[in-house]
Amino acid sequence: MHIAGATVLLTGATGGIGRALAHRLARASATLVVTGRQPGPLETLAAEVGARAVVADLSDPDDITRLADRCPDIDVLVANAALPASGDLLDYTPDQIERALTVNLTAPVLLSRLLAPGMVARRRGHLAFVGSMSGKAATPYSSLYTASKFGLRGFAHSLRIDLHDTGVGVSLVQPGFVRDAGMFAATGAEVPSGVRTVSPDDVAEGVLRAVEDNRAELNVAPLELRLRCALAVQFPDVAARSHRRGGDNPAVHQVIEAQRASR
């Protein structure tokens, strides 16, 4: 699927990865529609990249439907929006759990359901989901976030099978630890010592490559993290024991405390 000339809907556009994606898609000559929850930052970004802005709260299913109704001719969906949802599940209220799962999983599923029929009718389109390496391997204090990303990974791969031969591709892009964006950038916590990171621009390049090459899954992460996740898929008990031996990470707890205060 060629990005140049395609109409692209980007969710979560005002975050660190979202901004990098918006600028990269604009440079690739996409006709861009950006969406986010906060009108001010969204309009500023839209002016920067020459995009159309559509305000939507993806924790509200009615808003998701309205967003799709306002974007009927989308060629490419880049479902990037997500809530970090880290921490002990026991600290979350039922409403907070529902909101996290709606933004991280229900929204991309529902947008796919609403936008894919038009793509299939035109026999042209692509659905790209920005997941996480947490969609391959469990980590401490991330059960809710990990559940949403495991679900997104399964959804993307199954939908890709279902849409085979329709002219509509499906891709999943899974970043590792991202510097200058996401939970560590938002809270000021340091990335765990010895962990190599990727940049928002790396993730944006990965998304464009996945769409243009119709890649099923593209992992934007250092080799050692990709290997650890591959081993965790095959040997989850071994991975869990390794996390327990590693003990608690102060940076992770700093992130959790910041998120608890913001809820």
Side-chain angles (χ1 to χ4, degrees), residues 233-247:
V233 169
Q234 296 298 320
F235 307 104
D237 282 344
V238 174
R241 286 197 295 272
S242 176
H243 284 301
R244 289 195 294 270
R245 285 198 301 271

Side-chain angles (χ1 to χ4, degrees), residues 205-262:
E205 288 294 337
V207 170
L208 265 72
R209 189 162 70 250
V211 172
E212 299 224 327
D213 296 343
N214 192 22
R215 297 277 295 272
E217 180 173 309
L218 196 153
N219 298 316
V220 184
L223 177 62
E224 62 270 20
L225 179 56
R226 286 182 277 138
L227 289 175
R228 284 203 300 270
C229 287
L231 288 171
V233 169
Q234 296 298 320
F235 307 104
D237 282 344
V238 174
R241 286 197 295 272
S242 176
H243 284 301
R244 289 195 294 270
R245 285 198 301 271
D248 287 346
N249 189 297
V252 172
H253 282 283
Q254 186 178 347
V255 169
I256 292 168
E257 287 303 319
Q259 290 182 12
R260 183 183 290 122
S262 69

Side-chain angles (χ1 to χ4, degrees), residues 2-262:
H2 294 297
I3 294 292
T7 301
V8 180
L9 172 61
L10 170 64
T11 72
T14 57
I17 293 174
R19 290 185 61 84
L21 275 163
H23 282 274
R24 184 64 187 86
L25 288 163
R27 290 198 303 273
S29 300
T31 299
L32 189 57
V33 182
V34 292
T35 186
R37 203 165 44 87
Q38 299 175 318
L42 188 66
E43 293 290 351
T44 299
L45 175 64
E48 289 176 6
V49 298
R52 177 163 70 97
V54 180
V55 177
D57 182 354
L58 298 188
S59 68
D60 181 349
D62 290 337
D63 245 20
I64 298 170
T65 301
R66 282 192 289 270
L67 173 62
D69 288 342
R70 294 186 63 183
C71 305
D73 299 321
I74 293 298
D75 298 309
V76 178
L77 167 66
V78 179
N80 166 69
L83 296 177
S86 299
D88 192 332
L89 180 68
L90 304 186
D91 288 340
Y92 281 79
T93 67
D95 285 345
Q96 289 168 341
I97 291 171
E98 182 178 5
R99 182 169 185 266
L101 292 177
T102 299
V103 173
N104 292 9
L105 184 56
T106 303
V109 171
L110 184 52
L111 281 172
S112 299
R113 170 62 185 86
L114 295 171
L115 297 175
M119 298 179 187
V120 171
R122 296 187 295 271
R123 296 197 62 80
R124 179 177 184 270
H126 204 96
L127 303 167
F129 305 101
V130 179
S132 167
M133 295 300 284
S134 291
K136 299 188 76 169
T139 53
Y141 305 109
S142 67
S143 58
L144 183 55
Y145 181 75
T146 297
S148 68
K149 294 305 182 180
F150 264 66
L152 187 64
R153 183 170 186 259
F155 171 72
H157 288 319
S158 184
L159 185 62
R160 180 180 173 90
I161 296 169
D162 294 344
L163 294 179
H164 181 67
D165 285 339
T166 67
V168 180
V170 180
S171 297
L172 176 70
V173 177
Q174 300 189 130
F177 290 102
V178 182
R179 61 182 176 273
D180 304 323
M183 61 180 183
F184 289 102
T187 61
E190 294 185 3
V191 175
S193 177
V195 173
R196 290 200 295 155
T197 61
V198 297
S199 71
D201 287 335
D202 292 331
V203 181
E205 288 294 337
V207 170
L208 265 72
R209 189 162 70 250
V211 172
E212 299 224 327
D213 296 343
N214 192 22
R215 297 277 295 272
E217 180 173 309
L218 196 153
N219 298 316
V220 184
L223 177 62
E224 62 270 20
L225 179 56
R226 286 182 277 138
L227 289 175
R228 284 203 300 270
C229 287
L231 288 171
V233 169
Q234 296 298 320
F235 307 104
D237 282 344
V238 174
R241 286 197 295 272
S242 176
H243 284 301
R244 289 195 294 270
R245 285 198 301 271
D248 287 346
N249 189 297
V252 172
H253 282 283
Q254 186 178 347
V255 169
I256 292 168
E257 287 303 319
Q259 290 182 12
R260 183 183 290 122
S262 69

